[in-house]
Amino acid sequence: MSSATESKTVITLKGSVAIVSEFFFTAINSILYQRGIYQPETFKRESKYGLTVLTSTDEGLLAYLNQVMGQMEHWLLEGDVQRLVVVVSGVDSGETLERWQFNVSVEEKDASSGGKENVQNAGKPATATKSKVQKSIKEIHDEIQAIIRQITASVTFLPLLNEPCSFDLLVYTNKTATVPKKWEDSDPRYIMNSQEVKLRSFTTSVHKVDSMVTYKEADEWEL
């Protein structure tokens, strides 16, 4: 059987892709719950990363997220994902109120190729060579846990969302990425005169994910 969780593990590219994809899925669900994009009663509690996390039970949302994550995994394996962005916008105003950005890079490889944005959307990081640093799954999960905790705590500093909101997923990919026809190009949905808070990062020793949230201050968009 496998050795104890504390032991160092050689994380393969495929294993790293699975970890990153699961993190994205969990982070998106946490954002949607904490920011009230979906009703709290449509979420269930699960244990993950040593935390209690909230996961949507909405079948339509889950189908959408699973579709996006499936394409993301393909792009991650090919090395084409640069970043994933969760855009929160006002339904009435149409304004972008928050951008939750997760930058993906491959350890020991400079992902400096030009990128493009796609909505629904898709992206990949560069293919990884074998990493020198080995980490235990627990070490990786502890780093992810810190990010999920920060998302949960975000309600203490983010302005209240005073209108119904929707969300979009933008995936930035390398220009060489093959994008399915059902995906479409998008503008970056930047926020003018925004505030930015950097969150923690985690690394699998194959991929590194840096996190941040950019938001529009309340007095910028309240009438």
Side-chain angles (χ1 to χ4, degrees):
M1 294 294 294
S2 60
S3 53
T5 4
E6 296 291 344
S7 64
K8 304 297 181 183
T9 307
V10 177
I11 305 291
T12 63
L13 173 60
K14 192 171 182 180
S16 180
V17 166
I19 291 170
V20 173
S21 296
E22 183 180 39
F23 163 72
F24 283 155
F25 180 83
T26 304
I28 293 167
N29 273 275
S30 295
I31 292 166
L32 297 182
Y33 176 82
Q34 295 298 334
R35 305 309 290 144
I37 312 302
Y38 283 77
Q39 294 300 313
E41 59 268 22
T42 64
F43 290 81
K44 64 180 180 181
R45 295 180 180 274
E46 293 184 333
S47 181
K48 195 178 290 186
Y49 310 125
L51 292 172
T52 297
V53 299
L54 283 302
T55 303
S56 176
T57 59
D58 184 287
E59 292 183 3
L61 175 59
L62 288 174
Y64 170 71
L65 293 180
N66 287 333
Q67 175 191 345
V68 172
M69 290 303 107
Q71 183 60 53
M72 280 281 288
E73 288 183 13
H74 172 74
W75 279 323
L76 283 164
L77 284 169
E78 294 298 317
D80 288 330
V81 176
Q82 295 179 353
R83 69 187 63 93
L84 169 70
V85 181
V86 182
V87 177
V88 177
S89 54
V91 171
D92 298 327
S93 67
E95 286 193 84
T96 300
L97 304 178
E98 295 174 5
R99 287 178 96 256
W100 296 79
Q101 183 167 311
F102 302 95
N103 295 331
V104 181
S105 59
V106 175
E107 297 285 72
E108 301 183 357
K109 186 162 184 174
D110 178 21
S112 57
S113 55
K116 57 182 177 183
E117 302 129 25
N118 306 290
V119 171
Q120 193 192 72
N121 277 334
K124 346 166 189 173
T127 7
T129 54
K130 208 168 187 180
S131 174
K132 296 177 185 175
V133 181
Q134 294 181 5
K135 301 180 72 171
S136 69
I137 296 298
K138 184 180 185 306
E139 286 175 319
I140 298 169
H141 283 185
D142 285 349
E143 292 176 356
I144 292 175
Q145 180 192 100
I147 302 173
I148 301 301
R149 285 187 185 279
Q150 286 183 309
I151 294 173
T152 302
S154 66
V155 293
T156 62
F157 63 84
L158 289 174
L160 289 174
L161 298 174
N162 291 329
E163 62 175 304
C165 292
S166 62
F167 83 102
D168 288 301
L169 297 179
L170 310 182
V171 184
Y172 288 61
T173 65
N174 295 335
K175 289 182 177 178
T176 55
T178 302
V179 180
K181 289 182 180 178
K182 58 188 173 185
W183 292 70
E184 59 188 39
D185 288 340
S186 168
D187 68 77
R189 311 281 292 276
Y190 290 132
I191 303 171
M192 302 303 292
N193 303 316
S194 60
Q195 296 293 316
E196 178 181 292
V197 176
K198 289 189 181 298
L199 307 178
R200 299 285 187 89
S201 62
F202 80 91
T203 172
T204 65
S205 73
V206 176
H207 294 101
K208 182 180 181 182
V209 178
D210 293 298
S211 312
M212 69 183 70
V213 57
T214 305
Y215 61 94
K216 181 178 287 255
E217 291 193 283
D219 59 357
E220 293 281 342
W221 50 273
E222 284 184 347
L223 295 178

